[in-house]
Amino acid sequence: MSLTKIVQKIRAGRRFLISTHVNPDPDALASELALAIFLRKMGKTVFVVNEDTIPARFKFLPRSQLITKMNQSKMRLPSENSLLILRTKPLQLILER
């Protein structure tokens, strides 16, 4: 998918779920949070959901409270949502559970 199409999809979308790989590093967490902040400023509804809660040593990151643990998330996402997976390692690390 081209960058132009990605931008079009983001502009057209209303609700987004953002996630990253298992055992995320600071770059992955910061990428999720930066995108969540950006999308919220665009008026989008955003959920940041990971396999685990954010480690205490990274809670200094702006809006770190936006990241929720997968099983803590009780949201029901209708089919018109978009899923954004950032800074991925091999797919099996994302889908290993």
Side-chain angles (χ1 to χ4, degrees):
M1 183 179 292
S2 71
L3 182 57
T4 302
K5 286 198 181 248
I6 293 170
V7 170
Q8 289 172 348
K9 295 255 185 209
I10 289 173
R11 284 187 177 147
R14 295 179 316 166
R15 294 166 51 101
F16 294 85
L17 187 145
I18 302 170
S19 193
T20 192
H21 56 81
V22 175
N23 299 319
D25 52 33
D27 288 348
L29 296 169
S31 295
E32 287 180 309
L33 293 170
L35 183 57
I37 292 165
F38 174 75
L39 290 172
R40 283 184 168 199
K41 286 190 181 215
M42 291 178 66
K44 312 295 184 181
T45 300
V46 180
F47 304 96
V48 184
V49 181
N50 288 341
E51 177 76 16
D52 297 305
T53 56
I54 187 167
R57 67 183 181 277
F58 300 130
K59 289 197 177 189
F60 70 90
L61 292 168
R63 306 287 199 301
S64 63
Q65 73 278 5
L66 293 176
I67 298 175
T68 60
K69 186 174 178 178
M70 191 175 302
N71 64 4
Q72 290 175 337
S73 300
K74 305 256 188 249
M75 70 200 81
R76 300 180 106 203
L77 300 173
S79 60
E80 71 268 7
N81 288 296
S82 299
L83 171 63
L84 301 170
I85 301 175
L86 304 178
R87 294 199 34 89
T88 61
K89 293 182 179 182
L91 189 59
Q92 67 269 18
L93 290 178
I94 297 168
L95 302 175
E96 75 179 15
R97 293 188 192 231

